[in-house]
Amino acid sequence: MSTVALMWEARAADGRGNELLEWARGQVLAREPVRREVFRAPQDRVLVITWWEAPEGVRAELPELPEPAADLITRAVHRWRFASVEVTGG
């Protein structure tokens, strides 16, 4: 079993950063991740990271946040998937 982190990042349209943040916080996924965190950055960017246990790793079928309404963002959402790796030799 590996841990997979899904990262979702969007940039809000001018003056709509709080609205995008609340939209992201309010999204309900088809199932609950192990962990979910929401971040904010300059230029009204919002980042959501969800952690999942997935035997298939980054290829696993996992619920993802959708695209917000086009007028709420300045560009398409960026998405990344990462699988945990074991650290050795501490």
Side-chain angles (χ1 to χ4, degrees):
M1 180 82 60
S2 73
T3 301
V4 176
L6 302 185
M7 297 176 65
W8 177 101
E9 186 263 341
R11 184 172 176 191
D14 286 342
R16 299 189 70 187
N18 287 336
E19 190 176 345
L20 178 61
L21 179 62
E22 289 311 310
W23 180 91
R25 283 180 171 163
Q27 293 305 298
V28 176
L29 298 170
R31 60 185 173 143
E32 284 298 309
V34 173
R35 182 172 160 192
R36 177 175 175 164
E37 289 192 57
V38 180
F39 300 87
R40 188 174 204 169
Q43 300 176 329
D44 285 332
R45 289 179 293 144
V46 174
L47 172 68
V48 179
I49 305 174
T50 56
W51 284 264
W52 305 86
E53 293 300 325
E56 307 88 11
V58 295
R59 290 178 172 71
E61 291 275 334
L62 299 168
E64 295 199 39
L65 271 71
E67 292 272 333
D71 65 337
L72 186 56
I73 55 177
T74 60
R75 57 166 167 73
V77 168
H78 292 177
R79 300 170 193 273
W80 302 274
R81 284 179 171 231
F82 295 90
S84 62
V85 294
E86 190 173 322
V87 177
T88 59

